[in-house]
Amino acid sequence: MSTASVNILTLNLKINGRDYCVSCSPDASLSSVLRDNIGLSGTKEGCGSGECGCCTVLLDSKSVKSCITPAFRAEGAEVITIEGLSSPVHPLHPVQEAFVEAGAIQCGFCTPGFVLSAYSLLKEIPNPDEQDIKNGLSGNICRCTGYETIFKAVQLAAEKLNSSEREARE
Amino acid sequence: MNYFKPESLDEYFNCIEKSEGFVRPLAGGADIMHRLKKKFLKKDGLTLIDINVLSDLKELEERDGELRIGALTKLSRLQEFLAGKAGYNLLHTALGSSACSQIRHQGTVGGHLAGCLPGSHLFPVLLLHEARIEIVSPGGMREVDLDTLQKQPYHNNLKKNELISALILPALPAKKSYYWGEGERKGFCFAPFVLGWSFSEEAGLRIAGGNLPRGAVRFRVLEEKLAGSFVPLIDCLKEEFHFQEKQGNPLSEYQKTLLYRFMKVIKDKGEIK
């Protein structure tokens, strides 16, 4: 860019494999751009200040809290939201399947954030123990489930991902 | 609100010169976005300077037995880099309990230091390391001890045209070291107290704590009194509390109790007399 001051930014973003061009103010958060400019409302905004993790998305495969991520930080990076995790062939990603099977969803508001945090954790640690899971999900808050079923869902997701990887290798 | 995105340090300093009002360099952005949303920062008259493309600030290397950690190094990258590295395990542990994975993926070392966060898990451990920071300005570069950076929580001693370029981190030559954060830190909820302790023949006894009224400190009175003396622990602590109070940095009753408990555990292990 340049050293000229600007009040409105034009950003070229790559979200779930698609290119978007959006205009926003410099202090616009990534979550507001995803929801209001692009219409991807799967990303939830809970506290809006980085506490609850409902707004978690992946920025270059790493989980971040999109409500406190400036939208311009996503320029040049690959953003994945909950909508980008599934595909036409697999309507639910194995992590999402595990959440359904383990009954880790009640009201569902925090679920997109938990699913993406779990996805990011399993990318970094394919076989997490209970402490790894607790640490990996410590940035997400659920007020319904009591977390136990969520931890079970992540263990189940790890098994699913590892077995599908084994099958792919064989 | 104004926004600049300089591509070099020279351009950065040009932007600073042009800007009036409150100017904030922005790296990961988590802290500034949080403060804007909570209205701790006013948008009117605010200038944000996006420094993410300044590649000079991204290097992470070992130099003369020390680590030079570029200010734009992500906390999660530093955590990966320090895994299993001798002399840095205490810092690795502190990073693991600092905030949450999302914030560590986003937050940078420079932003964390410049923010002078009161409940930082890293500051006390960095003080044990006797870390230094490298500061760039149009006049050149200088190095200062990390503890001179803190003015008070959320405020640093940097001048308007100064920028942290790197953290210089000597290894902690500790045979034994402990780290303890009271309470779990999640998101932006701070631990009420963070304590670090290390001992080695060459470096002696080092004790540091965080989240005091003026930020993190080394408890130097306690270190001195405990090193090789037979003064009862409780008297050493009283002198340290008195010293900190005189410095305008009083510990709360809760923090005093926690420091006593921490030191008592170390004493019961036979690490101090």
Side-chain angles (χ1 to χ4, degrees):
Chain A
M1 216 195 219
S2 69
T3 55
S5 166
V6 287
N7 293 313
I8 293 290
L9 304 177
T10 304
L11 303 177
N12 294 304
L13 303 177
K14 188 164 193 179
I15 300 162
N16 301 332
R18 281 184 62 185
D19 293 320
Y20 295 89
C21 183
V22 296
S23 293
C24 62
S25 68
D27 65 323
S29 65
L30 181 57
S31 61
S32 67
V33 167
L34 289 171
R35 288 177 62 85
D36 304 334
N37 295 45
I38 298 173
L40 293 171
S41 56
T43 303
K44 305 298 178 207
E45 193 161 310
C47 65
S49 57
E51 309 279 355
C52 70
C54 291
C55 62
T56 300
V57 300
L58 303 179
L59 206 59
D60 287 335
S61 298
K62 302 273 188 192
S63 58
V64 297
K65 296 189 175 187
S66 62
C67 71
I68 50 166
T69 303
F72 61 78
R73 288 281 290 109
E75 209 174 28
E78 171 85 31
V79 182
I80 295 179
T81 68
I82 193 70
E83 291 90 345
L85 221 51
S86 55
S87 65
V89 186
H90 300 288
L92 287 181
H93 186 274
V95 177
Q96 292 169 302
E97 281 176 4
F99 268 67
V100 173
E101 286 170 27
I105 304 162
Q106 284 191 22
C107 83
F109 192 83
C110 67
T111 307
F114 267 104
V115 168
L116 288 166
S117 289
Y119 177 93
S120 171
L121 168 70
L122 295 173
K123 281 258 176 201
E124 285 173 32
I125 310 173
N127 291 301
D129 60 24
E130 199 183 334
Q131 196 53 50
D132 292 331
I133 296 173
K134 283 183 179 172
N135 288 344
L137 302 184
S138 69
N140 293 72
I141 294 173
C142 172
R143 285 288 171 253
C144 306
T145 61
Y147 300 101
E148 287 303 318
T149 50
I150 295 176
F151 297 154
K152 279 184 193 147
V154 179
Q155 275 161 346
L156 184 59
E159 286 165 23
K160 279 173 178 280
L161 287 168
N162 289 336
S163 70
S164 61
E165 204 170 286
R166 265 198 306 274
E167 279 167 23
R169 271 204 304 270
E170 285 162 10
Chain B
M1 177 184 289
N2 295 311
Y3 170 86
F4 294 100
K5 190 174 182 181
E7 288 177 354
S8 67
L9 277 171
D10 288 340
E11 282 187 15
Y12 171 79
F13 292 122
N14 275 337
C15 296
I16 291 278
E17 211 169 301
K18 275 190 226 171
S19 308
E20 286 169 10
F22 195 54
V23 183
R24 289 300 301 256
L26 189 141
D31 189 40
I32 289 178
M33 291 296 284
H34 177 254
R35 289 196 213 182
L36 279 169
K37 290 208 165 191
K38 291 279 184 189
K39 299 194 176 9
F40 298 150
L41 259 183
K42 285 181 185 164
K43 289 183 193 179
D44 294 341
L46 177 66
T47 299
L48 295 178
I49 306 184
D50 181 2
I51 57 172
N52 279 291
V53 289
L54 302 183
S55 52
D56 300 354
L57 310 186
K58 289 184 181 171
E59 287 170 8
L60 177 50
E61 56 181 348
E62 277 190 271
R63 201 187 273 177
D64 306 326
E66 299 181 321
L67 289 185
R68 187 184 176 281
I69 303 159
L72 290 181
T73 305
K74 294 269 193 295
L75 294 173
S76 57
R77 190 181 163 219
L78 180 61
Q79 192 186 355
E80 281 166 25
F81 184 80
L82 295 181
K85 214 168 190 47
Y88 296 95
N89 35 4
L90 202 64
L91 183 59
H92 182 256
T93 312
L95 272 161
S97 49
S98 186
C100 55
S101 55
Q102 291 103 319
I103 302 282
R104 292 197 295 274
H105 288 149
Q106 192 177 345
T108 61
V109 170
H112 189 89
L113 298 179
C116 290
L117 304 174
S120 163
H121 279 232
L122 304 188
F123 248 97
V125 180
L126 294 175
L127 292 180
L128 294 184
H129 275 267
E130 303 200 327
R132 309 182 306 279
I133 49 169
E134 194 182 273
I135 296 170
V136 281
S137 66
M141 196 175 280
R142 68 186 175 105
E143 255 184 47
V144 296
D145 288 338
L146 178 66
D147 56 4
T148 63
L149 176 71
Q150 305 171 97
K151 193 174 191 179
Q152 62 190 74
Y154 303 112
H155 294 277
N156 60 44
N157 279 318
L158 294 175
K159 294 181 188 121
K160 189 182 170 187
N161 61 356
E162 287 185 327
L163 183 71
I164 296 176
S165 53
L167 172 70
I168 313 292
L169 200 59
L172 184 62
K175 274 189 193 159
K176 290 173 180 171
S177 57
Y178 301 102
Y179 161 81
W180 181 62
E182 167 66 5
E184 279 182 65
R185 185 174 169 198
K186 289 180 178 173
F188 281 91
C189 309
F190 296 133
F193 208 23
V194 181
L195 290 163
W197 178 93
S198 72
F199 178 76
S200 68
E201 295 296 334
E202 12 0 334
L205 183 64
R206 295 178 183 176
I207 308 165
N211 211 357
L212 298 183
R214 288 190 172 179
V217 287
R218 278 277 291 277
F219 294 121
R220 292 189 190 273
V221 172
L222 195 56
E223 288 174 3
E224 201 180 298
K225 291 278 167 195
L226 286 172
S229 78
F230 290 93
V231 181
L233 172 61
I234 195 75
D235 292 342
C236 300
L237 284 164
K238 277 181 188 167
E239 283 202 40
E240 181 68 62
F241 297 155
H242 183 62
F243 175 77
Q244 291 299 340
E245 204 164 328
K246 276 203 297 189
Q247 302 295 310
N249 209 17
L251 280 79
S252 67
E253 291 305 314
Y254 183 49
Q255 289 173 329
K256 284 178 186 175
T257 311
L258 294 176
L259 180 56
Y260 169 72
R261 274 202 226 152
F262 181 72
M263 295 308 299
K264 184 80 173 49
V265 169
I266 290 168
K267 191 176 180 221
D268 291 346
K269 284 175 188 271
E271 310 290 8
I272 52 171
K273 295 182 182 98

